[in-house]
């Protein structure tokens, strides 16, 4: 720990507490000055590696800002606490503070800042807690939809779709992909719709719903380019014919491998169709004859000689 910075932080806290005191000549606490001192103290404590004290100062600054209805500055303090949670690897508390920051940004009338705060928080937790990141992206998507920002909504909807596929929540992923296709239609991004149609077909096959996969291709296939159409036709025909080899070749198409990582991995997890069992065993040409023991002929000849002797004895008796 940096003791000098910690002592500096303590001095700033004392200054903040003085600002909050009232007297005969000062009837109202100076919340704005106190908040400024608390934020500076939080920075000093953070540099000094005293993260708990830094978080406490930021929470006190939030209270001061709220007294002055300074929602934007209060939200920024919550974002700073999210970063402290990241540095201390206390990721489970990120959701609480990130949502509070987003709500205050919206209360201030800054939905873009709210969505950005949720996006940052999602990136902090996505590696270890993808389910939490999913909730952040879904929240950011709803904020963008309220703001009627199609471009931002497409971005967050895409992130929602990818995480749902990563978590193998294919039913919800199919709904998210259809929603993403609808948003791209509004922006006339037809090339992106073609790629999403390929993903939607794979998701439906991963769900085990071949009919829904064919329906998705019929509905959105006109937005696909020639290579995508050829691949999807080959893939769906392979499922009709129950041909796993052809289906595997289609899923191994180069453009699928170069899609987003989650979708490239999805192609490996799509269950292949089960081929029809063969009616009779295949005969291998030029196969080696079955092995026969050399003692077999000798034993057979001995058995034959014994039988002949018995017949002669029976004939002699007659």
């Amino acid at each position: 720990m940096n003791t000098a910075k910690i002592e500096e932080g303590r001095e700033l806290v004392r200054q903040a507490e003085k600002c909050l005191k009232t007297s005969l000549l000062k009837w109202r606490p100076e919340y704005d000055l106190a908040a400024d001192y608390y934020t500076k103290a939080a920075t000093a404590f953070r540099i000094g590696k005293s993260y708990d004290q830094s978080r406490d100062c930021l929470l006190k600054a939030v209270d001061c800002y709220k007294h002055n209805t300074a929602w934007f500055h209060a939200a920024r303090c919550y974002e700073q606490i999210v970063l402290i949670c990241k540095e201390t690897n206390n990721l489970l508390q990120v959701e609480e503070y990130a949502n509070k920051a987003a709500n205050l940004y919206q209360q201030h009338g800054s939905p873009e800042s709210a969505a950005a705060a949720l996006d940052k928080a999602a990136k902090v937790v996505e590696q270890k807690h993808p389910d939490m990141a999913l909730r952040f992206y879904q929240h950011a998507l709803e904020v963008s939809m309220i703001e009627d920002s199609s471009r931002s909504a497409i971005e967050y909807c895409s992130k929602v779709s990818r995480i749902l596929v990563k978590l193998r929540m294919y039913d919800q992923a199919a709904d998210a992909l259809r929603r993403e296709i609808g948003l791209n239609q509004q922006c006339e991004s037809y090339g992106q719709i073609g790629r999403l149609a390929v993903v939607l077909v794979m998701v439906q096959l991963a769900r085990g719903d071949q009919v829904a996969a064919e329906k998705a291709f019929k509905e959105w296939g006109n937005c696909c380019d020639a290579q995508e159409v050829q691949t999807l036709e080959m893939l769906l025909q392979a499922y009709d014919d129950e041909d796993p080899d052809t289906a595997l070749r289609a899923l191994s198409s180069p453009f699928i491998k170069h899609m987003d990582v989650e979708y490239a991995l999805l192609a490996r997890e799509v269950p292949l169709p089960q081929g029809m069992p063969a009616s009779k065993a295949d005969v291998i040409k030029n196969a080696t004859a079955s092995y026969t023991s050399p003692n077999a002929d000798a034993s057979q000849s001995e058995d034959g000689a014994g039988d002949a002797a018995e017949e002669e004895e029976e004939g002699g008796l007659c």
Side-chain angles (χ1 to χ4, degrees):
M1 288 187 177
N2 189 332
T3 55
K5 280 295 180 181
I6 291 176
E7 186 57 38
E8 178 185 343
R10 289 172 180 168
E11 177 60 29
L12 289 167
V13 169
R14 286 191 286 268
Q15 294 294 328
E17 291 172 347
K18 287 181 182 179
C19 294
L20 294 176
K21 290 180 179 179
T22 57
S23 63
L24 292 174
L25 300 178
K26 190 178 76 171
W27 294 356
R28 187 177 185 277
E30 297 175 299
Y31 290 114
D32 51 348
L33 289 177
D36 187 48
Y37 281 124
Y38 277 130
T39 52
K40 289 179 180 178
T43 302
F45 284 130
R46 184 177 176 185
I47 295 173
K49 306 297 183 182
S50 181
Y51 296 111
D52 290 340
Q53 288 180 292
S54 179
R55 183 195 59 216
D56 292 341
C57 286
L58 287 169
L59 289 173
K60 290 177 180 178
V62 167
D63 289 336
C64 293
Y65 284 129
K66 285 182 177 179
H67 276 94
N68 284 346
T69 64
W71 312 122
F72 187 88
H73 294 292
R76 292 189 65 181
C77 288
Y78 278 131
E79 284 199 86
Q80 292 297 315
I81 296 176
V82 169
L83 295 178
I84 291 175
C85 292
K86 177 185 177 182
E87 292 183 19
T88 57
N89 200 28
N90 193 5
L91 299 181
L92 294 178
Q93 291 187 350
V94 168
E95 188 167 15
E96 175 188 354
Y97 296 119
N99 285 330
K100 287 181 177 180
N103 292 336
L104 287 175
Y105 277 130
Q106 286 185 281
Q107 194 169 346
H108 178 262
S110 301
E112 301 90 351
S113 299
L118 293 166
D119 184 50
K120 292 175 186 176
K123 292 176 181 177
V124 169
V125 301
E126 185 171 355
Q127 192 68 27
K128 294 184 178 180
H129 301 283
D131 53 335
M132 189 188 300
L134 172 62
R135 292 192 291 272
F136 284 140
Y137 287 134
Q138 288 173 331
H139 191 177
L141 172 60
E142 297 305 324
V143 171
S144 298
M145 294 295 291
I146 293 172
E147 182 63 15
D148 197 21
S149 177
S150 298
R151 293 292 180 183
S152 298
I154 289 173
E155 177 186 354
Y156 296 127
C157 192
S158 175
K159 293 178 178 180
V160 168
S161 300
R162 291 202 299 269
I163 290 188
L164 286 170
V165 169
K166 180 179 180 179
L167 295 175
R168 300 179 182 177
M169 301 169 65
Y170 296 131
D171 290 343
Q172 296 181 38
D175 294 335
L177 285 165
R178 282 191 288 265
R179 187 176 189 180
E180 188 178 351
I181 288 173
L183 291 171
N184 277 281
Q185 272 188 309
Q186 295 177 12
C187 296
E188 299 182 353
S189 301
Y190 298 113
Q192 186 63 23
I193 292 175
R195 286 298 174 99
L196 292 173
V198 175
V199 178
L200 182 56
V201 168
M202 291 194 297
V203 167
Q204 299 291 17
L205 292 175
R207 292 178 60 241
D209 193 342
Q210 184 180 344
V211 175
E214 293 176 352
K215 182 179 178 181
F217 177 56
K218 291 177 182 178
E219 187 173 1
W220 307 110
N222 59 335
C223 297
C224 299
D225 60 27
Q227 184 182 15
E228 292 166 349
V229 170
Q230 182 181 4
T231 300
L232 290 180
E233 287 178 344
M234 181 192 303
L235 179 61
L236 294 173
Q237 187 62 45
Y239 275 83
D240 285 338
D241 298 340
E242 297 185 345
D243 184 353
D245 294 333
T246 303
L248 183 60
R249 284 199 302 273
L251 291 170
S252 301
S253 177
F255 83 88
I256 291 180
K257 290 183 177 180
H258 289 88
M259 296 177 80
D260 292 325
V261 176
E262 294 82 2
Y263 300 150
L265 293 175
L266 170 65
R268 300 180 185 178
E269 297 179 1
V270 173
L272 298 176
Q274 299 297 323
M276 295 295 291
S279 58
K280 58 182 179 180
D282 295 333
V283 178
I284 303 176
K285 295 181 179 181
N286 301 323
T288 305
S290 300
Y291 175 78
T292 304
S293 173
N295 298 325
D297 293 335
S299 61
Q300 289 177 0
S301 61
E302 290 176 0
D303 293 341
D307 293 339
E310 290 177 0
E311 289 176 359
E312 289 177 359
E313 290 177 359
E314 290 175 359
L317 291 173
C318 295

